Amino acid sequence: MNTAQTGSNKLDDLRAKVDQFSADRDWGQFHTPKNLATALSVEAAELLEHFQWQKGDEPFAELPEPKRVAIAHEVADVLVYLLRFCSVTGIDPIQAAEEKLALNAEKYPVDKVRGQSAKYTEY
């Protein structure tokens, strides 16, 4: 079995756990695409909040342990809401990411953008 398949199985297993967690609490009634997208955005903002006043060049590994743990929990919240969103909408996140990567490869050819941060409309 290859690594991608293993990762995909782990993602599927986690998605099933998230869906079961929601079902056990009868939260499906609240999990509309709009509500989940809103929650996902809020959790992403909470992740960003941990970095709000940093200079930007501090290595993650050098942050205090409690801060790294809090950041990991925010990453988990983002992932959980994203997986739930995908379950509710029927989006396959692996397939969507692979398709988007292929589109981005066309927009950002290596020979034109290597080492640059310009948007594809700027070159």
Side-chain angles (χ1 to χ4, degrees):
M1 184 177 344
N2 66 34
T3 305
Q5 185 60 40
T6 302
S8 180
N9 287 341
K10 285 183 178 182
L11 191 63
D12 290 342
D13 290 347
L14 180 58
R15 186 171 169 173
K17 287 178 185 176
V18 169
D19 290 345
Q20 188 60 56
F21 185 90
S22 174
D24 289 348
R25 289 154 181 80
D26 192 27
W27 286 350
Q29 61 184 313
F30 309 114
H31 288 179
T32 64
K34 178 234 160 244
N35 287 352
L36 291 166
T38 300
L40 179 57
S41 178
V42 169
E43 294 301 338
E46 289 178 8
L47 173 61
L48 181 60
E49 185 177 24
H50 289 280
F51 301 96
Q52 184 173 5
W53 301 114
Q54 286 188 343
K55 289 185 252 173
D57 57 354
E58 300 90 345
F60 181 77
E62 292 180 14
L63 295 175
E65 176 69 14
K67 186 166 187 114
R68 290 194 319 265
V69 169
I71 290 167
H73 289 168
E74 295 304 340
V75 167
D77 287 341
V78 169
L79 180 58
V80 165
Y81 276 116
L82 179 60
L83 290 175
R84 188 69 183 126
F85 181 88
C86 288
S87 286
V88 167
T89 60
I91 294 172
D92 177 337
I94 301 294
Q95 179 183 350
E98 288 173 346
E99 288 173 8
K100 184 63 177 179
L101 234 114
L103 290 172
N104 285 345
E106 291 176 21
K107 285 183 188 177
Y108 299 99
V110 173
D111 62 325
K112 289 186 179 180
V113 302
R114 184 170 178 81
Q116 299 181 43
S117 63
K119 187 171 180 176
Y120 68 95
T121 56
E122 296 175 15
Y123 60 87

